[in-house]
């Protein structure tokens, strides 16, 4: 009797146990799903303060220039849930490089190397835990030199029009300066006062001059005469031309299949100049004719050897691709050969053109980070120069360098640098939407033993177009001093 009663009781107990086990399984599964897949939206929710408190609970790594100038650091706060705030001692001249860290957003190097600066990078985390028992961000040393960076930014500011400037060490690819104008003060976006932060961000986004835009990496321009480096390189590489070869340079050239004529500038008076003289005098019809003879495929191949159509380039900031059109008719090929039509370059690419020529035709991959170290000086990573493209053979690079040196006006870019010969190619780009022309220059110096290559672009400078040479000259002087 007792046994049957026990069995009668065990039946519902077993059912309850199975239900409880099922509920426990569902609960554990739900918790696992939340922990595995639900943490990101929870952490990203702006109402959740815990990730922000953790983010600002310890100092991020410092960012310094190659010569030790501090451009980004963390300072302790006086009160509140956030223990540290980000500060940018150099402000506007370095904003295109450092970017900023705000409550819910980051840009520039702060974004590109966030894991390293915050200590979340596995290599940084493990080494800091082993050596110090706590997680700390690593310090970054840039390739940028403060003297060259300041010369670039101050030159752009003196010109007073939007633009960008880049300086590169041709032998390594190390970027010595990367400036854009107008810029902004990143300190205005590091406040923890949400109302002030939103107002500052709204004001910068609404500014007509677009100070948040990194023009050096994220804007493309018609290359104008700077593209003649590519066309000349293609002509020399074809074996059909030498620097002393005579080329046709009629006063005007009819574009095939159109009623439109391309005309030469006033200083191109020779109808049969040498290639070197046509390069010096910017004879548009000569280079359009060369483009027609070579054809779009040879021109495109040469452009891609310099880095065009290469996809996004990480330095580690992302640079948008410079481009050469993929399909052209003959009229468009003629225009593309003189840097018109749909050719587009970033200011970084403008500097890379000269860097390739200066380094015997070998273009090194541009980079911005020299080394990463823990606070105690322990090395985490160090840059190693890498070949990016072989633009032209060494002999042809020397031909181009000689032509660029001859093309530098006696009273232009090189005149104000005593004892230094400069190789350069200045240009005004084709008329752009909205009217006006851009001014560009690509250059390197010294011409015989290059140490720096520069690229400068000014947007619609009008009567101030000559300032593009002044900016390049200031950067070269700073790099060589």
């Amino acid at each position: 009797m007792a046994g049957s009663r026990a069995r009668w009781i065990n039946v519902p107990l077993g059912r309850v146990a199975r239900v409880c086990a099922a509920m426990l399984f569902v609960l554990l599964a739900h918790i696992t799903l939340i922990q595995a897949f639900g943490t990101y939206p929870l952490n990203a929710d702006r109402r959740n303060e815990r990730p922000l408190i953790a983010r600002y609970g310890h100092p991020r790594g410092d960012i310094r220039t190659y010569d030790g100038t501090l451009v980004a650091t963390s300072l302790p706060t006086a009160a509140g849930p956030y223990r540290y705030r980000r500060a940018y001692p150099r402000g506007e001249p370095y904003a295109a490089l450092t970017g900023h860290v705000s409550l819910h957003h980051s840009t520039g190097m702060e974004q590109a190397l966030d894991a390293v600066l915050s200590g979340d990078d596995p290599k940084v985390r493990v080494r800091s835990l082993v050596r110090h028992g706590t997680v700390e961000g690593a310090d970054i040393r840039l390739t940028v030199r403060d003297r060259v960076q300041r010369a670039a930014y101050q030159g752009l500011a003196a010109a007073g029009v939007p633009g960008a400037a880049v300086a590169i060490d041709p032998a390594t690819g190390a970027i010595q300066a990367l400036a854009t104008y107008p810029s902004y003060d990143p300190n205005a976006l590091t406040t923890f006062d949400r109302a002030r932060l939103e107002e500052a961000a709204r004001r910068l986004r609404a500014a007509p001059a677009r100070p948040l835009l990194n023009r050096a990496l994220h804007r493309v321009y018609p290359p104008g005469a700077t593209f003649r480096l590519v066309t000349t390189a293609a002509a020399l590489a074809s074996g059909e031309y030498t620097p002393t070869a005579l080329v046709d340079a009629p006063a005007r050239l009819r574009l095939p299949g159109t009623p439109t004529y391309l005309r030469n500038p006033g200083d191109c008076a020779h109808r049969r100049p040498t290639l070197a003289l046509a390069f010096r005098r910017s004879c548009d019809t000569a280079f359009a004719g060369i483009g027609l003879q070579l054809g779009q495929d040879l021109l495109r191949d040469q452009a891609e050897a310099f880095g065009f159509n290469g996809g996004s380039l990480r330095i580690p900031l992302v640079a948008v691709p410079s481009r050469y059109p993929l399909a052209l008719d003959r009229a468009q090929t003629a225009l593309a050969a003189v840097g018109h039509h749909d050719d587009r370059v970033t200011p970084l690419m403008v500097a890379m053109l000269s860097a390739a020529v200066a380094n015997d035709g070998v273009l090194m991959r541009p980079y911005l980070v020299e080394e990463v170290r823990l606070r105690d000086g322990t090395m985490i990573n160090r840059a190693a120069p890498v070949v990016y493209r072989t633009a032209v053979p060494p002999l042809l690079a020397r031909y181009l360098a000689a032509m660029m040196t001859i093309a530098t006006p006696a009273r232009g870019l090189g005149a104000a640098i005593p004892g230094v010969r400069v190789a350069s190619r200045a240009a005004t780009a084709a008329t752009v939407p909205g009217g006006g022309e851009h001014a560009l220059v690509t250059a390197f110096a010294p011409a015989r033993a290059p140490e720096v290559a520069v690229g400068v672009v000014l947007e619609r400078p009008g009567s101030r177009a000559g300032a593009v040479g002044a900016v390049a000259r200031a950067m070269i002087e700073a790099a060589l001093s």
Side-chain angles (χ1 to χ4, degrees):
M1 189 70 168
S4 61
R5 184 178 300 158
R7 286 193 299 273
W8 181 78
I9 294 174
N10 286 340
V11 171
L13 287 177
R15 292 173 180 170
V16 170
R18 286 192 291 273
V19 171
C20 290
M23 293 175 64
L24 180 62
F25 176 80
V26 171
L27 178 62
L28 292 174
H30 186 60
I31 292 174
T32 301
L33 287 172
I34 291 176
Q35 290 180 333
F37 304 106
T39 55
Y40 178 79
L42 289 174
N43 288 334
D45 193 322
R46 296 196 174 192
R47 296 169 297 178
N48 186 1
E49 288 284 309
R50 293 184 63 184
L52 292 176
I53 294 173
R55 182 179 190 180
Y56 294 102
H58 65 275
R60 290 169 69 85
D62 292 340
I63 303 178
R64 295 180 181 272
T65 64
Y66 186 86
D67 38 22
T69 302
L70 184 66
V71 295
T73 189
S74 292
L75 300 176
T77 58
Y82 310 122
R83 295 179 57 192
Y84 292 90
R85 67 176 180 86
R86 204 60 167 158
Y88 303 93
R90 295 288 173 169
E92 293 185 10
Y94 281 90
L97 287 164
T98 62
H100 64 270
V101 176
S102 63
L103 278 174
H104 300 287
H105 186 63
S106 60
T107 63
M109 296 297 288
E110 296 279 24
Q111 180 186 57
L113 294 179
D114 178 70
V116 171
L117 291 165
S118 66
D120 290 338
D121 179 83
K123 187 184 295 186
V124 174
R125 176 181 288 270
V126 169
R127 294 206 182 181
S128 62
L129 283 172
V130 169
R131 299 183 70 87
H132 307 290
T134 58
V135 175
E136 60 180 21
D139 295 337
I140 293 173
R141 184 185 180 207
L142 301 175
T143 59
V144 171
R145 299 174 185 268
D146 183 59
R147 183 191 298 269
V148 187
Q149 180 72 14
R150 285 189 290 110
Y153 184 77
Q154 290 169 5
L156 292 171
V161 296
V166 179
I168 301 175
D169 181 342
T172 64
I175 295 175
Q176 299 183 3
L178 191 151
T180 183
Y181 180 85
S183 186
Y184 70 101
D185 183 2
N187 293 292
L189 300 174
T190 62
T191 177
F192 295 129
D193 184 322
R194 283 175 167 76
R196 288 178 56 193
L197 174 60
E198 290 178 4
E199 173 58 25
R202 184 202 61 77
R203 177 172 45 82
L204 288 171
R205 287 194 300 267
R210 302 181 69 185
L212 294 175
L213 175 64
N214 187 334
R215 288 174 163 83
L217 302 178
H218 300 154
R219 189 155 195 172
V220 292
Y221 303 87
T226 61
F227 191 81
R228 280 163 217 176
L229 279 171
V230 178
T231 304
T232 305
L236 295 173
S238 71
E240 300 179 23
Y241 296 88
T242 65
T244 58
L246 297 177
V247 295
D248 291 326
R252 62 177 190 167
L253 175 71
R254 184 173 180 174
L255 299 177
T258 77
T260 304
Y261 283 88
L262 183 68
R263 302 177 187 277
N264 277 331
D267 58 351
C268 185
H270 295 75
R271 297 297 180 92
R272 288 276 291 171
T274 64
L275 178 62
L277 183 58
F279 184 90
R280 178 182 179 182
R281 296 288 178 86
S282 293
C283 298
D284 284 347
T285 60
F287 286 94
I290 291 171
L292 289 172
Q293 182 174 350
L294 296 178
Q296 62 167 312
D297 292 336
L298 282 180
L299 286 175
R300 186 181 306 106
D301 289 345
Q302 185 62 69
E304 292 177 352
F306 274 96
F308 285 75
N309 300 339
S312 297
L313 179 63
R314 293 183 178 272
I315 61 174
L317 301 181
V318 177
V320 301
S322 296
R323 64 179 187 265
Y324 183 85
L326 296 180
L328 301 171
D329 60 27
R330 284 180 54 76
Q332 292 167 343
T333 299
L335 290 173
V338 294
H340 298 172
H341 187 51
D342 286 338
D343 301 3
R344 293 294 183 271
V345 290
T346 60
L348 173 63
M349 175 56 73
V350 176
M352 289 165 62
L353 291 172
S354 278
V357 174
N359 196 40
D360 285 336
V362 177
L363 177 61
M364 305 301 288
R365 178 180 287 274
Y367 65 97
L368 271 170
V369 179
E370 183 65 27
E371 60 185 26
V372 178
R373 293 179 181 266
L374 293 181
R375 291 296 177 92
D376 64 2
T378 302
M379 181 74 71
I380 298 295
N381 193 20
R382 189 179 184 88
V386 176
V387 173
Y388 183 55
R389 295 280 195 278
T390 299
V392 290
L395 178 60
L396 300 191
R398 288 193 285 273
Y399 284 158
L400 287 170
M403 293 166 71
M404 290 176 69
T405 304
I406 294 172
T408 302
R411 296 183 180 180
L413 187 59
I417 308 179
V420 178
R421 295 197 73 187
V422 177
S424 72
R425 174 72 269 181
T428 55
T431 302
V432 293
E437 295 179 325
H438 301 320
L440 305 87
V441 67
T442 183
F444 65 87
R448 294 186 180 276
E451 296 180 28
V452 63
V454 302
V456 184
V457 178
L458 297 180
E459 297 180 8
R460 301 183 182 90
S463 61
R464 289 171 286 182
V468 72
V471 178
R473 183 167 56 245
M475 295 169 68
I476 292 172
E477 288 181 303
L480 300 182
S481 62

